[in-house]
Amino acid sequence: MAKEGHKYIFVLGGVMSGVGKGVVTSSVGLLLQQKGYPVNLVKVDPYLNVDAGTMNPTEHGEVFVLRSGLETDQDMGNYERFLGRDLTNEDYMTSGMVYQSVIARERALGYNGKFVEAIPHVRDEIIKRMEAAAEYNGSRISVIEIGGTIGDFQNALFIEAARVLKMQHPDDVLFVMVSYLPVPGTIGEMKTKPTQTAVRDLNSYGVQPDFLIARSTHSLDEKRKEKLAVWCNIRKQHVISAPDITSIYEAPLNFEKDRFGDMLLDALHLPKKRKASLAAWNAFVKAATNRKIPEINVAIVGKYFDTGDFVLADAYLSVIEAIKFSAAKLSRRANITWINSKELEQGGPKSIAKSVAKLKKYHGIIVPGGFGESGIEGKLKAIRFAREHKIPYLGLCYGMQLMVIEYARNVLALKGAHTAEVAKNTPHPIVDVMLEQKKHLADNKYGGTMRLGAYPAYLKKGTMARAAYKKELVEERHRHRYEINPTYVKRLEAAGLVFSGTSPDGVLMEIAELPRSAHPFMLGTQFHPEFQARPLSPHPLFTEFLRAAISRKRKK
Ligand code: GLN
């Protein structure tokens, strides 16, 4: 049970998905935290997957891995980046998780022979989890984002749980609706009707929003503010204009200007302790949105870009953010180009060589994480090019495994060197399945069974990794099933590759790099450093990678 008088703010979305509920939730969290209130942020995902780990990134966007190893929605990454701290399993729930525990309890005779039904049992399990998250975090205010859009079939039970909480604690629960106001090109006028309809839809659940965040391409004018207030039954001051912004990190600053945080505290009957301390955040936003600082051109060679006619950079969200944070720290603006690795495989050898040679214009190349066979040869070509042309390279997880395979193929001349993930019968399984993973795969146990979450790594003296982190022992988050095959390590090292980070027992290779004498910056990590990069504490490996990219630009 959460403490008596604990406060809840529910964030719901109207009209359509992708309107920025996550940014509103993160911003409210940051504001209240910086005003002196301990907060916790919760993401509710209405799908039946037990976690986000089994979904394809083109379906779902990035899978964000918590320190614990739980595979979650990318919004959780935003929450961590805004709050500047790690989140826990309690802060995330899916319909799958909720149903799984209700059903497990039913199988164990936990309901004493009663009917087990969505209401009350599933609803109460949801409430229990919301309270547990508050309790576990020792927070004063919980900000809970309910995924999906109002009117969806799937999230209705979560809204019902929120309604019941409000009914039980009328002074302690608020609803913030984030809606979208289109400005259709042919009409040229901002339309409020879809939002009015969405609010009425929410009313039909027995829920009245207390605040309305009006997302749009433009600011909301007074006339429309009044109209929305009257039609949606919301105090005019509580209708908050939220036009498009250059950077999501500006949102809390704008909300603070509009006194959104203070109005929330008033509505929750909490004292205003102090203004939000946002000086460091402000400085970061200034650097991150400064258009006048020089650009640095980074290519990301990946494969999860295409969903129909749209490019989905969401699949690598944390990587993009990590680049931005380090760039801001170095007073640079990162200009990211997406390169679909499949395009580096198409056509005859000549046209492939031509496409690959285009990589020369970039100051740095990143190959991010990935799974399976498609686009692999293209990535390997990009990596070889980066190595041979001394272009700063950062490989993340698959990007590290492929960097080592490329080295084995082209420097050690191990023909057919590969990963067992793609080529089961390769003569040289440079990357092989981890021992404990074999059984999971044989039993089709894919969900939540990878090597997941934070593990320690020791860094070798005199290496780039050690110089970047400035310490010997680090902890980073993982998500992989395969690893560098230990039987090849000696040979790779003899040929010049340095394994600068290993698991404490020395068995798992965590970081591979080339010595500075051979290459300005060629480094790959078995883990995902991007998950721990934060606006106010950029990740040292991304920073060093960009530093090398900056000096390439200078030399060119
Ligand atoms: N597919 C690789 C593995 O499972 C790399 C995973 C990743 O890049 N996250 O080991």
Side-chain angles (χ1 to χ4, degrees), residues 369-372 396-398 401 421 479-482 526 528:
F371 293 85
L396 308 169
C397 206
Y398 220 1
Q401 296 175 353
E421 180 174 354
R479 182 172 188 251
H480 61 119
R481 249 181 243 290
Y482 296 81
Q526 183 57 79
H528 291 271

Side-chain angles (χ1 to χ4, degrees), residues 130-141:
M130 289 173 177
E131 290 176 338
E135 168 92 346
Y136 187 86
N137 282 282
S139 68
R140 184 75 185 87
I141 308 171

Side-chain angles (χ1 to χ4, degrees), residues 163-174:
R163 183 193 69 81
V164 169
L165 264 178
K166 169 91 181 176
M167 191 266 294
Q168 292 168 342
H169 310 282
D171 291 336
D172 302 328
V173 179
L174 288 183

